[in-house]
Amino acid sequence: MLSTLRIRHIGVIDDATLAFGPGFTALTGETGAGKTMIVTGLGMLLGERLDRGRAGESATVDGSLALTGHEELADALDELGAEEDEGEVLVVRRVTRDGRSRAQIGGVPVPIGTLSRLVGTAVTVHGQSDQQRLRDADAQREALDRSARAEIEPLREHHRELWTERRTLRERLAEIDALLAEGERRGRVMQEALDRLEAVDPQQDEDTELRRELDRLGSAEELRGAAATAADALVGDDAPSAAALVDIAAQAAERARRTDATLAPLTERLEALRLEISDLAAELSRYAEGIDASPGRSDAANERLAELTALVRDLGALLPGPDGPAEDVTTLLTASRGAAVDLDRYARARGEREEAAARLETLEGELEQAAADLTAARTGAAEALAAAVQTELRHLEMPDAGIRVDVTAQAQRWHGKDLVEILLAPHPGAAHRPVAQAASGGELSRVMLALEAALAASRRDRSAAPVFVFDEIDAGIGGRAALAVGQRLAQLARHAQVIVVTHLPQVAAHAGTHLRIVKSRDEQRTSSTVETLEGAGRVRELARMLAGDEDSDVALAHAEELLEEARRAPGRGSG
């Protein structure tokens, strides 16, 4: 429910606050008073554009929307982080003269598309755009689906799930086919490269170690001589060696220790030094003896390095790493592990494709059955909706009009393969044609009212009452038809909040809440405000609408009579 609406700086309205009733609210006023600006403001809450010519420096609309019963909307706002105040959320839309637009829901800035989507779940504005809406096949299908939501929604959701699964599966099959095509191009080459790599069996950093070894082999004599010289300096006999000098020091310290026991740690360290010198000399000798200066070892190392170099050269481009072709054995081994993973992926993709193709074949049958179930449900719902709308049209002084809701086949989409058309035969013998083409202006408005009334009557959740705004609902009608429209609007207000901009007293008399747009003039400009009418004030406004003279005794009497008839009429809206 829309409880209040505040409009600032739109057209002739500087600042006006409207308090709507829970049932049927009528908006009346003289021509040019600004009734259209009210509908414009409501449209702004739904994300509609504002004509710059109607905007002041900053045109603003604030609307308080009650969330009772609108669980889907409440959940969306909760996820958005919007603030509530006693079960209501404040919706704000501001448009500057230069066209910049801002929107907030519950204090949270939102894009205009989000504003339209969220508020649009609760508020529907009917007006001059209805003809376009009735040309929209999707809108007509949605109307039919709403008329039998309990039966159709589970079927549609099941169809949507299957449709989504099929789309995902098709996308995955395309990915697998691309992967298999890549495998066809690269798989054989990669496998041959891996086979050659396995035959050569290079080890991590082997080429680097071979180069180091060849450097050593090239300097073998020099290295051997240096090691031998170092060993002789430690333990050699030709000159005083480090070992001999340490022995002299150790013996002297041992003799002194016998007199002074505090030298014991030093004698132990000298003993350890003597052992370390002996070990070092032994290792140097082993190093010198271990240097293989034979031509055979050098040749073998060169041959192995040449083999590895050729391997890296030949396979580097076939098994590239993340930074390009491999330049050494280690990078090549790393790339080979990635190639092995790719080969395994290609192999698994073949099996996955078989499974996906089998599931897709099954899914096609399931989707076809789900679409058929939807068509059957919609066909049954179409008959019921047509009958309900037909009944409403009889109440709206269109007893000879014939309504048909056709469900025909079209290309399958996420919601099924049904094209829904609401067709109207305005009088007996006339062919059924699309409503937007077959109905006159007044008839079109009554068809929309009949459709909304039928849909509201079919809604089982009475707490989730939508808000319907009707502009020009009474265009082109009068007399009995006007009274009938007023009665059906009051009937609709049992199940929804109804806000109507009207110039017909027969319609306004049935409202539970009556708001008047009041125009005032001064030397500078014309402006409008809004007042709530009750009692005598309401009678005077109805008299003005009847006769153009709110002081006419005849018109006042007629207005009283209209109000009394409206009070006695079945289906009177709350208020």
Side-chain angles (χ1 to χ4, degrees), residues 282-447:
E283 287 190 23
L284 286 167
S285 297
R286 286 195 296 273
Y287 171 78
E289 293 169 359
I291 293 177
D292 185 1
S294 65
R297 176 55 198 156
S298 180
D299 291 344
N302 273 309
E303 288 177 6
R304 179 62 174 171
L305 182 59
E307 183 179 30
L308 295 179
T309 301
L311 189 70
V312 171
R313 182 192 65 225
D314 296 342
L315 303 188
L318 298 178
L319 304 175
D323 299 323
E327 297 180 352
D328 53 47
V329 166
T330 299
T331 307
L332 187 63
L333 288 172
T334 301
S336 72
R337 287 191 285 273
V341 170
D342 285 343
L343 285 175
D344 181 60
R345 196 156 52 98
Y346 298 149
R348 285 187 287 107
R350 293 186 183 91
E352 184 181 352
R353 195 196 189 290
E354 292 178 1
E355 293 178 3
R359 172 57 185 154
L360 183 60
E361 184 178 353
T362 302
L363 194 60
E364 293 289 0
E366 293 178 2
L367 197 57
E368 190 67 26
Q369 183 59 53
D373 293 343
L374 258 178
T375 298
R378 283 175 174 146
T379 300
E383 295 178 2
L385 179 60
V389 174
Q390 188 80 57
T391 299
E392 292 294 332
L393 287 177
R394 283 198 294 271
H395 291 303
L396 291 170
E397 298 299 315
M398 293 179 66
D400 297 327
I403 280 286
R404 198 173 76 206
V405 181
D406 282 0
V407 180
T408 56
Q410 66 171 1
Q412 193 167 13
R413 294 161 61 190
W414 67 266
H415 47 70
K417 53 172 59 176
D418 302 319
L419 175 66
V420 176
E421 286 187 292
I422 301 176
L423 306 175
L424 172 70
H427 52 79
H432 283 80
R433 298 167 58 208
V435 171
Q437 300 173 18
S440 65
E443 289 172 337
L444 186 62
S445 298
R446 280 182 279 173
V447 170

Side-chain angles (χ1 to χ4, degrees), residues 450-461:
L451 180 60
E452 293 294 10
L455 292 175
S458 70
R459 195 177 61 252
R460 297 179 181 179
D461 182 5

Side-chain angles (χ1 to χ4, degrees), residues 177-239:
D177 287 340
L179 184 62
L180 291 175
E182 179 185 348
E184 288 293 327
R185 292 193 307 270
R186 298 186 59 215
R188 180 178 56 80
V189 174
M190 291 172 65
Q191 188 60 60
E192 290 175 355
L194 291 177
D195 291 344
R196 181 177 171 187
L197 196 67
E198 184 178 3
V200 175
D201 193 23
Q203 303 302 308
Q204 190 86 1
D205 294 324
E206 185 180 357
D207 51 350
T208 301
E209 293 300 327
L210 283 170
R211 289 188 180 92
R212 290 175 182 168
E213 182 181 3
L214 286 168
D215 286 343
R216 288 196 301 272
L217 292 173
S219 304
E221 290 301 327
E222 181 183 348
L223 294 172
R224 187 184 294 113
T229 299
D232 285 343
L234 292 174
V235 297
D237 296 330
D238 295 339

